[in-house]
Amino acid sequence: MHTSSDLGVDLRLLEALVAVADEASVSAAAVRLRVAQPSLSRQLRLLERRLGLQLFEKSGRRLQVAPAAEPVVEAARRALDSADDVVRTAHRAAAGRLGRLAIAVLPSCSPVLLVDALAAFREDHPDVDTNIIELVDEEQWRALREGRIDVALNLIEPPPSDLPHQVLTAEQVCLVVRDDHRLAGKESVQISDLTGETVTFFNRSDQPVGYRWLSWMLRSAGLRTTLQEATLTNIVAAVAAGLTVSVMVHSFETILRPPGVQYIPVEGWRIDLIISHRPGPESPTVQAFRQALDRAVERSDASQP
């Protein structure tokens, strides 16, 4: 079985064949291809020798495809279309419009701005296979090194030094209380205002870094508050019922504020939102996603108190 390389048939010769078939004239095809007519005639003769087939017959002053060559011309058209598709696919891949994007977030704590970024990214890159998975910090680092994910979003602590990363933004931390709570209605609160409060936070198995951070912040402020652990939905439910207060970043207010609940900025409390990616050069798809994320961060920062 011969391949096109065995026969020495390249795209240039196939383009010549299709052009002459379309124009029914070597001279008109030469103008279309912007080549000299003698050169195009030589290409046709070369192609006939390599295929072992007469390609055209004269019909008056015009050329017509020889009956035996008609399937060859159609095959040439398909080959040229396939070559064009290769180029188009390459351009789309280079622009980050094809491929996959695997994003890891902390369990029960997907950054709200990720919703904004993904909506914009998916609108411009609908053919990218995009997935979000939940992994705690150390699992994120392992998945990045193994190539199972492309980027990871986490809070507070940066990854190990072998993983490229950057701080996207410093999010305002808020106290979350019910409307009839003693601190409700304040423009801001101090850490010391949490004295005597029962604070419910994410399970330490889901948010080990965040749990350690909040415990340390409360101890550093001289508070003996014991953290209760719960899932995100149960945290919000407990606050809405007046059973407890909680601590969340400000951006959560846009999607997690049931009736009767307030978010109050805690003075001096901001935590870093960090993006990490796989070692080595970033793919065009990751670059495009990061651009969408940067724009989402700008919009989020503008809305923070």
Side-chain angles (χ1 to χ4, degrees):
M1 178 178 178
H2 293 292
T3 65
S4 60
S5 59
D6 294 331
L7 294 171
V9 177
D10 57 30
L11 294 179
R12 178 176 55 88
L13 297 180
L14 298 184
E15 287 175 341
L17 171 61
V18 171
V20 174
D22 289 344
E23 303 295 338
S25 165
V26 175
S27 58
V31 173
R32 168 173 155 179
L33 296 176
R34 298 181 181 180
V35 299
Q37 183 174 334
S39 175
L40 183 57
S41 296
R42 286 194 297 272
Q43 290 178 15
L44 289 177
R45 291 193 296 270
L46 174 61
L47 184 58
E48 287 184 329
R49 288 197 302 271
R50 290 180 176 173
L51 295 179
L53 181 70
Q54 180 181 346
L55 298 173
F56 296 98
E57 296 175 347
K58 283 192 175 182
S59 177
R61 300 181 63 181
R62 298 175 64 81
L63 291 177
Q64 65 180 23
V65 178
E70 289 177 356
V72 177
V73 173
E74 292 309 308
R77 293 187 194 280
R78 292 193 297 271
L80 293 174
D81 287 342
S82 296
D84 288 341
D85 186 56
V86 170
V87 174
R88 287 191 295 268
T89 300
H91 288 166
R92 294 177 67 202
R97 298 185 181 279
L98 290 176
R100 72 135 199 195
L101 179 64
I103 306 166
V105 297
L106 296 173
S108 302
C109 192
S110 176
V112 175
L113 61 85
L114 180 60
V115 177
D116 186 6
L118 276 179
F121 178 79
R122 292 291 291 166
E123 183 175 351
D124 292 336
H125 303 75
D127 295 326
V128 173
D129 181 17
T130 305
N131 295 291
I132 301 175
I133 60 175
E134 292 187 341
L135 298 173
V136 299
D137 302 79
E138 292 184 359
E139 292 174 342
Q140 288 185 358
W141 315 151
R142 185 162 52 252
L144 284 171
R145 293 187 183 105
E146 294 174 354
R148 291 185 285 115
I149 61 174
D150 300 295
V151 297
L153 294 168
N154 71 310
L155 300 168
I156 305 170
E157 290 185 3
S161 58
D162 64 308
L163 294 174
H165 63 277
Q166 73 175 90
V167 175
L168 290 172
T169 186
E171 289 205 78
Q172 173 66 55
V173 176
C174 294
L175 178 66
V176 188
V177 300
R178 201 166 85 157
D179 279 349
D180 59 0
H181 189 273
R182 63 183 178 85
L183 298 174
K186 288 182 173 291
E187 292 187 3
S188 63
V189 295
Q190 304 282 340
I191 297 177
S192 58
D193 290 328
L194 273 69
T195 300
E197 296 290 344
T198 299
V199 181
T200 303
F201 194 65
F202 298 99
N203 294 319
R204 79 181 80 190
S205 59
D206 291 340
Q207 299 279 338
V209 173
Y211 191 94
R212 289 197 303 269
W213 168 81
L214 182 55
S215 298
W216 181 84
M217 292 293 287
L218 294 173
R219 288 198 306 270
S220 297
L223 304 181
R224 296 180 177 273
T225 301
T226 300
L227 295 182
Q228 294 186 347
E229 301 179 41
T231 62
L232 179 58
T233 52
N234 285 333
I235 291 173
V236 176
V239 172
L243 302 177
T244 184
V245 301
S246 188
V247 173
M248 296 185 186
V249 292
H250 170 261
S251 60
F252 269 55
E253 184 176 9
T254 60
I255 60 172
L256 290 173
R257 186 178 178 180
V261 169
Q262 297 182 15
Y263 282 66
I264 309 170
V266 182
E267 295 182 13
W269 270 20
R270 286 182 177 268
I271 58 174
D272 290 338
L273 174 62
I274 302 166
I275 183 172
S276 309
H277 62 86
R278 295 163 58 180
E282 286 184 330
S283 70
T285 301
V286 171
Q287 292 176 358
F289 171 69
R290 288 189 60 179
Q291 291 171 1
L293 195 56
D294 286 341
R295 291 190 291 270
V297 168
E298 292 175 1
R299 291 188 289 272
S300 177
D301 287 349
S303 69
Q304 287 202 45

